[in-house]
Each structure stands twice: as structure tokens, then as C-alpha cells.
């Protein structure tokens, strides 16, 4: 079963991940949540596996545009709601590979899990 890659096609980090996957001939399906949205329940599922703190791209421009009042005092429910409303603030890529969930692009982690 191919890995399922979630992200935004034109993101620089996604381009690195795509290049790595293609160079290693790893089969994958891509879901662009900028165009198709995040599938219902996925953020909760990812939060349970990886921790809600890892899901936000806190260094990106979308995150910085979110008012500080909304970014403060976060818990799992508030973070998930914030990311559902601002899908570009979700860290990229998120890869489902069997039972494994990879959040962000790390070539060493990709090599170990894919």
C-alpha cells in the first residue's frame, strides 16, 4: 500500500519531500489540503499519534498572521480548531505509512520508515 502524503503542492519543504520520495522510488498518493481540505477527523487522528504540538508550522507566514490571542493558551481542541480554519498552518508534509506517521520532512526519518 503506498504512503499517503498530505500537504500543499507548492511548499518548498513539500518539493524536497517529493524529490526524496521519487529518487527513492517510494510509491505514494498525494492529498493537497490547500485544494481539497483536510479530511474530517484527520487532525484528531494525527494528534493522537504524534501529539498536537507537532502539527502546527509555527515558523510559517500563515501562523504569524493568526492573531496572538488565538495562538495563546493552546490545548489540543483549540489547536485542532485553529488548524482546521487555517490549513496552511499545518506542518508539512504529513505522511501516513502503514502504522507510522511522519510529521515534517526529515530525510533520515523518511529513510528509516519508508
Amino acid at each position: 500500500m503506498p504512503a499517503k502524503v498530505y500537504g500543499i503542492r507548492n511548499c518548498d519543504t513539500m518539493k524536497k519531500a517529493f524529490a526524496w520520495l521519487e529518487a527513492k522510488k517510494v510509491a505514494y498518493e498525494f492529498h493537497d489540503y490547500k485544494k481539497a481540505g483536510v479530511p474530517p477527523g484527520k487532525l484528531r487522528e494525527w494528534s493522537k499519534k504524534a501529539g498536537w504540538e507537532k502539527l502546527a508550522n509555527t515558523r510559517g507566514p500563515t501562523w504569524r498572521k493568526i492573531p496572538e490571542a488565538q495562538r495563546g493558551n493552546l490545548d489540543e481542541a483549540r489547536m485542532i480548531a485553529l488548524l482546521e480554519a487555517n490549513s496552511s498552518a499545518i506542518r508539512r508534509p504529513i505522511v501516513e505509512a502503514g502504522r507510522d506517521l511522519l510529521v515534517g520532512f526529515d530525510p533520515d526519518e523518511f529513510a528509516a520508515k519508508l
Side-chain angles (χ1 to χ4, degrees):
M1 179 175 201
K4 183 80 175 209
V5 179
Y6 296 84
I8 297 171
R9 171 116 11 233
N10 292 328
C11 165
D12 288 341
T13 303
M14 290 298 301
K15 290 175 184 177
K16 291 175 192 173
F18 290 140
W20 188 96
L21 291 165
E22 289 162 16
K24 303 293 184 189
K25 297 184 177 15
V26 174
Y28 67 92
E29 296 174 12
F30 175 61
H31 178 94
D32 189 331
Y33 49 66
K34 182 78 167 177
K35 292 181 180 176
V38 179
K42 278 294 176 189
L43 285 166
R44 286 195 200 312
E45 181 183 324
W46 296 336
S47 177
K48 299 288 182 242
K49 284 187 173 183
W52 60 269
E53 300 90 341
K54 288 181 72 173
L55 298 179
N57 177 14
T58 58
R59 291 186 277 171
T62 302
W63 184 260
R64 290 190 298 268
K65 290 177 187 174
I66 298 169
E68 183 66 36
Q70 292 178 24
R71 292 185 284 153
N73 297 320
L74 290 171
D75 59 18
E76 182 179 25
R78 290 186 66 211
M79 176 67 86
I80 288 171
L82 193 63
L83 294 177
E84 284 173 341
N86 300 278
S87 64
S88 294
I90 300 170
R91 194 160 174 212
R92 301 178 290 270
I94 294 183
V95 180
E96 296 175 335
R99 293 180 171 206
D100 292 320
L101 183 71
L102 293 80
V103 180
F105 177 61
D106 177 342
D108 293 334
E109 185 178 21
F110 271 44
K113 304 278 183 172
L114 299 174

